[in-house]
Structure formats: C-alpha cells, structure tokens
Amino acid sequence: MDASAFVQTVEILLVEDNPGDVDLTREALANCKISNILNVASDGEEAIAFLRRSGKYAKSTRPDLILLDLNLPRMDGRQVLAEIKADEDLKRIPVVILTTSGQEEDILMSYNLHANCYISKPVDLHQFMRVINAIEDFWLTIVKLPPRGKR
Amino acid sequence: MSFNRDKKSKMGEPEQKARIIESALQLATETLRECEEKFQVLFNNEIYAICVFDIETLKLLEVNDTYSRMYGYSRAELISGMTIHDITAEHQQSDEATDQARREGAMFIPLRYHRKKDGTIFPVELVGGPYQWKGRNVMVAMAHDITQRRQTEEALQSARNELEQQVAEQTEELRQMNEELQEEINERKQAEDALRAASYYTRTLIETSLDPLFTISLNGKITDVNAATEKVTGIARGRLIGSDFADYFTDPEKARAGYQQAFGQGQVTDYPLAIRHTSGSISEVLYNASVYRNDQGMVEGVFAAARDITQRKRAEDALRESQALFKTFFMGAPMGIALVDSQSWYVYEVNPMFGNITGRDMANAVMSDWVNITHPDDIQEDKDNMARLIAGEIDGFQMVKRFIDPTGAAIWVNMTVASIKLEGSNQLRHVCMIEDISQRKLADDRLHGVLADLKRSNEELEQFAYIASHDLQEPLRMVASYTQLLADRYEGQLDDRAKKYIGYAVDGAVRMQRLINDLLTYSRVGTRANLIQDTDSNLSLNEAVRNLDNQVKENNAIITHDELPVVRADPIQLGQIFQNLISNAIKFRGEDIPRIHISAQCKANETIFSVRDNGIGIDPQYADRIFVIFQRLHTRAEYPGTGIGLAVCKRIIERHAGRIWFESEIGRGSTFFFALPK
C-alpha cells in the first residue's frame, strides 16, 4: 500500500424510500472494515439535489459510491440513473443498483443506462448481509475509486 | 616295221648292231614324224588359238597361227618377248588364272577380255594347263574368241528384254483400260443411286404430305394419289387410279368446274369443295390445282391439292361459341371487369357490374380519369403499382383500395389488375377486376378493433402483474429480514420454540416471494411469447438441460434423447416445457439414479414428444389436478416447489393449440406426452 492510499472515511449515498431497507443496509454496513458515512435520500429528487449540492445540501460531500433502488416515488430510480450518468461531474461516481426486481428488462435497462452493476436484494437476511459486505469489499477495498479531489 | 628275219645271216656283229640301230633310228624317226604330224594337226587347228607361255615370266614361248591371227601380231612378234599381260585387258586376273592352274592342274576361264594389236578388246574363253617343256614350267593355253557368242547372247538378252518390256507395256495398257472401265462402271452406278434417291425423296415428300395430293389426266381420270388422298376418301390407291376424280366430291359438277378452271387459267386456288369418305363423313376442303407439263413442254395433266379445312372450320365455330360464352360470363359476372388499353387508358370492354360497384357508367370511358374516382389516400400506391405493371416488372398486382362514387362516398374494393399480352402483338392491355368488399371491410375493422382491445388488455394485465409482483416483494422482504434480525439480535434470549416460530415466519415470506415470481412467469406465457416458427427441438432441449445443470449434477441424473424433429413452436417456450418436465422428473426421483429419456413421434398432423422417467410415479386419480396452478400432490416437507411447473407447461401447450397428458405407474415412473400441431 503506497502513501496515497491512506485510510480515509468513505462516503456512501443510499437512495432508498423504504425505511426498513435503510435500517437493514445501515446494520450491514456497520460491520464494515472501512469506516464509512452513509447518507440517505428517500426519493429521486432528493438524491439529485444532494448530488448537485443544491438547496439545503450545499454543504454536502460528493459520495464515493451510490447505492440506488429502482422503485422510488415521484422520480423513478431509472431516471435518477440516467441523470447521474448524463452529468459531466456526476457520471464517474460508481452506481450500484440495489433493488427488489430481478427481471431481465430492468437489468438490461440499467446496464444500458450505464449502471456500474446490478444487484437484486435477497429476501433472506443473512444473504442480504453477505451481499452488502460483498459490495463493500469489492467497491471499497478492491476497486480503485476516482480520486476525491477531482470531484 | 618288221625285222628282216630273212636277213638273218651270220654277218659280222658290228654290222648287225648297225642295222639294229638303223632300224631303231628309222622307227624313232617315223614315230617322231607321226607325233610331229599329230602335234601339227592339233597345234595348227584353226579354231583355238593356242599359246605356250612361261609360268614364271609369263613370256610367250610358242603360238599357233590362229593365235597370231586372233591377236593381230605375227608369230615372231609374239615370241620375241611379249608376255600374257600384253594381250590381257586385265592384268591381275592373269596371275589369278595361272595360280589356279598351278593349284588345280587346269585352268578354265569362261570370260576374259583380251586386247588385239589394234587395240580392240574382245572376249575370250580360256582353257589350259601347266606343263613341263624344255625344262621349264610352262602353261599351255587355248583361247577361244567368244565375241560372236557374246554378241549372240547379248542380242538374245536384248530381244528378251524387249519382249519383256512389250509384255509389260501391254499389261500396263490392259490394266489402265481395266481401271477406266471400272471407274466408268462406278460413275454409272453412282448416277443410278442418285437418281434412285432423288426419286425416292420426291416420292416420300408426296406421300408424307398431309394434304391429299392427286394428279388428274387430260380426260379427268386420276393418275396418281398420295397416302393422304387414300385417307380422306377411304379408298385404296389401286381403285382410285383410273377413276373419275369428281366422283369423290359431294358436288361433282362443282368439282369439274374447278378442274376446267385449272386448265383454262393454268391454276385454281382455294376453291371450296367437300370430299365424301366411304364411311359417309364429309371433309371440307380448299381445292388448289395447277397444270403440269412433261419434259417436252406438253401439258400432261393437273396436279391438285385439297387442303382439309374441317378442323379450321370447327375451330372457327368453337371460337364463336367461346366468344359467346365469354360474353355471357363477362356480362353476368359478380365482379366488375374492365379491359383497358394500357397505352391510351381507353376502356374497350367493361361489364355492367363494374358500373354498379363504382356507381359510374364506365363504357367508353378513359381510365386515365381513374385518379379522379379513387380515394386520395390510395392514389399513390395505385400509381406505383400501375407503373410497375406497365414497365413489365410485374405481371399483375392486387390491392385493396377505395373508389369514390358520384356522391363522394368511399367504396372499398379488392382490385386485381393483370396485364394481357396478345401473341404477336406489342399492344399492352390489362384487365382490371374489382370486388366489392365493403361488408368485409366492416367486419375486418370490427375484428381489428377487438384484437387491439385484447392486446391492450393483455398488456395492461402484464403490467399489473409486474407491478404487483414488485410491490408485493417489498413487504415480504421486510417481514423476512426483520424476523431474522430479531433472531440474530436476541439469539441468547430465545428458546427453541421461539426459533421454530421465527423459522415458520421467514419460511412463509420466502415462499410468498417464490409464488409471486411463479405467478409472474405464468402470466407472461401469453404476453412474453415469441413467434411460432420452425424450431429445432434439439436446440430447445439442449438449452433446458443446460439450465438444469446443477440439479442434474446433484442427482447424477442421466438424460438421453432421440434425434428430435423440427416443429412449429416458440423456441424459448418449448425449452421451458422441457425444462419443467425434466426438472420434475429429477425432483420426483426414486432410490435409483434418475434416468430420463426424451423422444418424439411424427404423425400426420402433429408431433408427439415424450419425457419418460424412472421416478416415483403419479397416482392416476390425480390426473386432473396436477396441471392446475399451485396444486401439489406432496407436502412441502416431502418435495419442494410451488406447483406451477406443469401449469406453465399446460398454458404454453394451449397457446400452441396442442395437448398434454401423462401415463404413469406408482413406483415405476412416469411418461409425460405433449403434442404440437404441424
């Protein structure tokens, strides 16, 4: 490990409308090796505002990773994905689709909109825990994320 | 000589000796003289030239007169030192001769050339032999001048040659004459053959002519006929020839008139007559005749041909009939028909129905006005089609279009246009047929409407199913996850019963999720289908087996299949059927390794597939229930599953208008059959 990869806190944005799922995710991430801060947006518009640091989110930090549910009220998750990946500043942030649906058309559409990966949420709790840990493992320790300074 | 015995007196001895010696001497002299005479006779014969020469030196020692005369030298000259070489024309051979003589004791040379004093070379025959003479080895040779003999011989030879030559010349002359004769014979024969062939050819032409041909003499009698004449009259030529030609026509007077006309004008053409056959049938003919002359230019008779026009007449009648028929059909047809000249658009034939349908009188119309009576939306397509037709790209086309009647109402017609090409004519025409489909259109539209509604309904249903499945999953996850979370959190404080209850709750949620997914799959059989197409069922089967890889490996299942046919089916859904049936076959296995065999039978109207297993079998009394959605024959503890596999299969089969059933024996296994129509 070289000097540039010093341990720092990772910022994660979770876009999820179901509080139950939010808590579950939080639980799972709490067991992470990497220290992380979890920000939550409960609908698409909030998520965009947060990312663009507009309004009340002016002081927010750009997240290193976005966990995005597709089924959101008002602005649907697919729209959010499209907007993120169309935005010059935001498109390089990895977006992990984390959603209930396992249907082919959703998977296809998500990848077409340049989602970085697609995961369907397991029903079983322990499976779910394993998945979150795997996400964290892969995206936060194995993968090299874009340097923060450039965001 | 006799001793004088009487003188036997006692003379003195020396006198006696002297008298004896004298007698002896006399005797010797006599003998010598006799020899000398003999020798002279021989030596001086006038036939052979004799010479004596020394063998060593070849010098002539003695010659006879004949020799001297023969060679032209005097004796004195010859024996003065001349050698044989001097009188021989060839030197070498003299030596050979002498050698021969020495060896064999004799010499005979049949031909040698010697030279006379005056230089003449002449042929001689030589005979001789070696002798001893005066102490020397000499050769006595006799030369016989054979000039004469040779000349005679040559003359004889010459005469013989001449004779031979004459004979050869004569023979050659004879041979040539023979050749020429042969050639003449060949030429004559060729000419005969050519003549025969030409004659045969001419006759054959006459005989094979389809028209009855016959010649009529100056007094009206038939002089020659061909086979066609025999046929049209039904009478053999033997009887025809010599008879009056007019007898065979239905109107003999008219026939004779025609014949007279031929004589008068040299020919007569297309003179209509009728010939009666012996059977009674009549042949309508056109009589054509002309006079012909012999090689002296004298008119010999009339050569006539009677062209049978019975067929043509019949054809003309048939045509008239068919035209009448066409007219009837054309006028009475239930569809509008118009015959149009493609160049000028002139409607040269149109039936009343066309007018009825379009609401206009089309007779004598010019079809170029058709744009005015066609619905604007249809004009372009109509134009394009017509352009292609006239260009020759297509022979015809069919389209549904609207005419506009005089009131402005649209009339739906099914129009078929086809180009008509007349043989031997460049004129392009087309026929335009229209069928009023107003009623049908209405029905169609209604049907379309219904179909559109159905489609929309299906789509709505599917969307509903999709959303429902989504929205139902969320709460499930919550129930399952938090129940488990509770269990984890408070593990220490939970007893076994609590854990069991939690297990049921979680289990319920998981099952619910699976049911929802299965329902979604079931609902999609109709809406997420592909086109029914030619499908290689082997490929679908392979895909299904691949998808079941895990299950197959876990159970060590052995799956075999026959070569499967190509069928009309949705390839994905066919795979689903195989997958569900095979999955069931493995799941409901017995103690033994699952053995599954797939085969197909091609019948006339359908293909019947079978999936046979060696599993636990199915009680036939449940035959109705197993294809119903969510119906199960076992508890969840015994075998997992939602009970949707067979229901999906059934729905897919129904979509293909097929049928599905099974045969089974408890404990022995089951065979599922499904039939797909062809």
Side-chain angles (χ1 to χ4, degrees):
Chain A
M1 232 211 272
D2 53 337
S4 61
F6 64 91
V7 181
Q8 56 181 29
T9 318
V10 172
E11 300 259 350
I12 304 175
L13 171 64
L14 172 64
V15 187
E16 173 64 65
D17 66 319
N18 180 354
D21 265 323
V22 172
D23 276 345
L24 274 176
T25 312
R26 217 188 277 279
E27 281 273 344
L29 285 172
N31 301 330
C32 264
K33 300 184 220 75
I34 308 282
S35 76
N36 60 81
I37 296 175
L38 186 67
N39 298 297
V40 179
S42 55
D43 67 50
E45 281 159 0
E46 231 190 288
I48 297 292
F50 181 90
L51 288 167
R52 295 233 168 95
R53 292 187 259 211
S54 64
K56 64 178 182 182
Y57 297 112
K59 297 261 179 57
S60 64
T61 2
R62 280 272 162 75
D64 297 302
L65 181 69
I66 303 173
L67 304 175
L68 175 61
D69 184 19
L70 288 179
N71 271 53
L72 302 169
R74 287 189 290 280
M75 195 195 238
D76 161 75
R78 296 156 194 84
Q79 268 179 284
V80 177
L81 175 61
E83 268 210 46
I84 293 172
K85 291 300 176 184
D87 186 307
E88 281 299 314
D89 286 326
L90 302 174
K91 70 184 184 186
R92 65 178 88 89
I93 307 173
V95 177
V96 174
I97 304 293
L98 189 59
T99 190
T100 334
S101 165
Q103 298 300 327
E104 249 182 52
E105 59 269 29
D106 290 325
I107 302 173
L108 194 64
M109 184 177 16
S110 304
Y111 279 113
N112 274 344
L113 292 171
H114 308 293
N116 293 70
C117 68
Y118 187 106
I119 298 173
S120 51
K121 293 185 224 176
V123 173
D124 182 84
L125 174 73
H126 298 124
Q127 288 268 65
F128 183 78
M129 296 293 190
R130 266 200 289 278
V131 166
I132 298 295
N133 284 328
I135 292 172
E136 168 239 341
D137 214 21
F138 184 75
W139 284 103
L140 303 184
T141 57
I142 297 171
V143 157
K144 297 261 185 281
L145 295 170
R148 189 174 282 176
K150 297 286 182 290
R151 280 176 251 150
Chain B
M1 115 141 60
S2 60
F3 287 93
N4 198 342
R5 290 179 187 235
D6 297 323
K7 289 186 173 180
K8 231 175 194 172
S9 52
K10 278 270 171 135
M11 291 181 230
E13 262 188 42
E15 277 179 1
Q16 252 185 322
K17 269 197 199 145
R19 269 205 201 114
I20 293 169
I21 292 169
E22 213 183 303
S23 294
L25 206 67
Q26 251 187 347
L27 194 65
T29 310
E30 282 275 347
T31 312
L32 192 66
R33 202 172 36 78
E34 265 181 54
C35 279
E36 179 74 39
E37 269 177 37
K38 278 185 194 166
F39 171 70
Q40 285 298 336
V41 167
L42 279 170
F43 196 68
N44 288 319
N45 82 86
E46 296 192 5
I47 300 169
Y48 289 95
I50 306 175
C51 70
V52 179
F53 62 90
D54 186 309
I55 280 183
E56 318 297 331
T57 61
L58 296 180
K59 277 203 179 124
L60 288 158
L61 302 170
E62 189 56 74
V63 294
N64 71 353
D65 290 340
T66 312
Y67 199 95
S68 168
R69 260 203 309 281
M70 193 183 284
Y71 287 88
Y73 295 97
S74 70
R75 182 174 169 277
E77 279 176 304
L78 286 165
I79 60 173
S80 65
M82 283 177 71
T83 68
I84 293 296
H85 287 312
D86 296 327
I87 50 98
T88 321
E90 316 133 84
H91 285 180
Q92 191 190 1
Q93 283 160 331
S94 332
D95 297 333
E96 280 174 19
T98 49
D99 284 337
Q100 186 194 29
R102 257 197 286 249
R103 279 198 310 278
E104 295 168 25
M107 170 185 79
F108 174 71
I109 295 155
L111 175 61
R112 179 60 45 80
Y113 285 98
H114 281 184
R115 195 178 330 112
K116 297 192 186 183
K117 182 175 183 184
D118 62 10
T120 320
I121 309 250
F122 66 104
V124 296
E125 186 183 79
L126 299 172
V127 172
Y131 289 102
Q132 288 277 335
W133 192 48
K134 293 186 182 171
R136 285 164 149 170
N137 289 329
V138 301
M139 182 78 104
V140 178
M142 287 191 291
H144 181 51
D145 187 342
I146 56 170
T147 314
Q148 200 72 332
R149 197 206 299 172
R150 283 196 62 73
Q151 277 175 356
T152 313
E153 278 176 7
E154 270 163 35
L156 200 66
Q157 188 64 35
S158 188
R160 198 185 297 138
N161 286 347
E162 219 181 281
L163 199 69
E164 276 180 12
Q165 182 148 342
Q166 274 184 6
V167 168
E169 279 171 13
Q170 294 274 19
T171 315
E172 179 63 25
E173 250 179 64
L174 271 166
R175 197 188 57 74
Q176 270 185 9
M177 269 173 64
N178 195 34
E179 253 183 45
E180 281 164 17
L181 201 69
Q182 196 62 40
E183 258 181 54
E184 214 183 287
I185 293 174
N186 285 346
E187 271 175 30
R188 205 172 290 169
K189 191 161 178 301
Q190 270 180 11
E192 271 176 27
D193 286 343
L195 196 68
R196 206 178 303 127
S199 172
Y200 179 77
Y201 172 67
T202 332
R203 193 72 215 176
T204 309
L205 290 181
I206 292 172
E207 286 302 325
T208 51
S209 166
L210 297 170
D211 295 329
L213 303 170
F214 47 96
T215 49
I216 309 167
S217 68
L218 293 163
N219 56 4
K221 303 277 187 257
I222 296 178
T223 46
D224 194 6
V225 296
N226 70 348
T229 309
E230 292 180 292
K231 196 159 168 237
V232 78
T233 55
I235 300 171
R237 66 182 70 206
R239 285 181 42 209
L240 285 170
I241 292 174
S243 63
D244 197 318
F245 87 98
D247 290 344
Y248 307 100
F249 291 93
T250 53
D251 188 345
E253 286 306 318
K254 193 166 176 218
R256 269 189 213 108
Y259 164 79
Q260 292 301 338
Q261 201 181 330
F263 270 112
Q265 294 163 5
Q267 65 181 50
V268 64
T269 51
D270 289 345
Y271 192 87
L273 289 169
I275 295 177
R276 189 184 294 113
H277 189 275
T278 44
S279 70
S281 67
I282 312 281
S283 303
E284 304 281 339
V285 297
L286 289 177
Y287 176 80
N288 285 273
S290 50
V291 298
Y292 70 95
R293 297 162 195 278
N294 63 12
D295 54 3
Q296 266 110 51
M298 304 292 291
V299 172
E300 275 204 358
V302 164
F303 178 53
R307 171 146 300 162
D308 192 328
I309 53 162
T310 321
Q311 293 288 43
R312 202 217 296 180
K313 271 196 150 217
R314 255 183 241 147
E316 282 171 359
D317 292 338
L319 183 67
R320 227 174 288 127
E321 232 183 88
S322 105
Q323 279 178 335
L325 200 65
F326 167 75
K327 205 81 189 176
T328 316
F329 154 76
F330 188 72
M331 289 315 216
M335 51 202 297
I337 311 173
L339 298 171
V340 187
D341 181 301
S342 314
Q343 239 86 325
S344 62
W345 291 102
Y346 178 68
V347 177
Y348 64 90
E349 289 276 10
V350 66
N351 71 351
M353 186 54 101
F354 202 98
N356 290 348
I357 294 174
T358 55
R360 297 163 193 278
D361 180 9
M362 300 297 294
N364 297 315
V366 178
M367 202 55 113
S368 57
D369 294 342
W370 65 264
V371 283
N372 299 339
I373 59 170
T374 301
H375 192 283
D377 292 347
D378 298 328
I379 289 179
Q380 192 54 53
E381 191 186 341
D382 205 336
K383 268 194 180 157
D384 292 341
N385 283 330
M386 279 310 297
R388 288 181 67 205
L389 184 83
I390 289 174
E393 284 170 34
I394 47 175
D395 284 331
F397 67 90
Q398 180 256 325
M399 70 179 276
V400 171
K401 67 176 268 192
R402 286 154 287 190
F403 279 107
I404 308 287
D405 78 2
T407 68
I411 306 173
W412 281 99
V413 297
N414 185 8
M415 178 174 80
T416 310
V417 180
S419 57
I420 310 170
K421 283 206 196 68
L422 293 169
E423 292 261 357
S425 158
N426 284 330
Q427 261 189 311
L428 195 60
R429 294 168 170 182
H430 60 270
V431 59
C432 176
M433 292 178 279
I434 55 173
E435 196 192 335
D436 188 338
I437 56 166
S438 322
Q439 293 298 347
R440 211 209 301 166
K441 197 86 178 82
L442 265 166
D444 264 352
D445 286 343
R446 238 178 274 135
L447 191 68
H448 270 277
V450 167
L451 280 172
D453 282 340
L454 214 68
K455 190 158 183 265
R456 208 182 317 122
S457 172
N458 267 352
E459 281 169 354
E460 282 171 355
L461 217 68
E462 205 222 295
Q463 244 219 328
F464 173 74
Y466 172 76
I467 293 169
S469 79
H470 241 275
D471 293 343
L472 291 171
Q473 305 258 19
E474 287 261 338
L476 274 177
R477 283 192 48 255
M478 293 298 100
V479 167
S481 306
Y482 280 98
T483 318
Q484 283 177 299
L485 205 52
L486 276 172
D488 287 350
R489 260 291 140 79
Y490 305 106
E491 201 177 338
Q493 296 162 40
L494 294 168
D495 64 354
D496 282 340
R497 199 186 300 182
K499 290 198 183 116
K500 190 164 68 165
Y501 293 167
I502 287 170
Y504 289 147
V506 171
D507 193 41
V510 168
R511 260 190 311 123
M512 185 70 185
Q513 199 209 26
R514 265 190 229 136
L515 279 167
I516 291 168
N517 278 330
D518 284 346
L519 249 171
L520 201 59
T521 310
Y522 184 79
S523 80
R524 281 183 166 169
V525 168
T527 51
R528 289 296 176 89
N530 298 306
L531 277 175
I532 303 226
Q533 52 192 276
D534 287 333
T535 303
D536 181 354
S537 29
N538 295 293
L539 296 178
S540 297
L541 175 63
N542 290 340
E543 183 71 24
V545 171
R546 254 200 300 278
N547 291 340
L548 296 172
D549 196 43
N550 279 339
Q551 195 187 3
V552 168
K553 286 205 167 72
E554 277 166 24
N555 290 275
N556 295 316
I558 298 169
I559 303 177
T560 55
H561 67 96
D562 295 341
E563 180 72 17
L564 300 176
V566 168
V567 290
R568 299 283 303 170
D570 175 336
I572 305 288
Q573 289 188 340
L574 180 61
Q576 273 175 312
I577 300 174
F578 282 129
Q579 194 168 325
N580 288 356
L581 291 177
I582 296 170
S583 178
N584 278 354
I586 300 176
K587 186 159 62 169
F588 295 103
R589 59 174 284 191
E591 300 272 316
D592 301 332
I593 303 257
R595 256 176 240 279
I596 299 149
H597 183 73
I598 300 104
S599 62
Q601 225 187 351
C602 289
K603 299 266 190 202
N605 297 330
E606 56 186 10
T607 312
I608 301 179
F609 290 88
S610 66
V611 179
R612 189 180 70 234
D613 67 61
N614 60 343
I616 59 171
I618 306 165
D619 192 332
Q621 65 172 303
Y622 302 124
D624 301 327
R625 286 177 58 188
I626 62 167
F627 290 107
V628 177
I629 188 169
F630 297 147
Q631 286 291 323
R632 308 182 76 248
L633 301 181
H634 304 274
T635 64
R636 261 185 320 283
E638 292 165 328
Y639 294 98
T642 53
I644 199 156
L646 288 174
V648 168
C649 287
K650 181 148 185 273
R651 195 143 190 259
I652 292 175
I653 299 282
E654 270 162 12
R655 186 191 161 229
H656 286 71
R659 37 184 231 290
I660 182 166
W661 72 101
F662 73 94
E663 285 168 9
S664 182
E665 211 186 302
I666 296 281
R668 296 286 294 275
S670 318
T671 309
F672 275 82
F673 298 92
F674 63 96
L676 294 176
K678 285 207 173 153

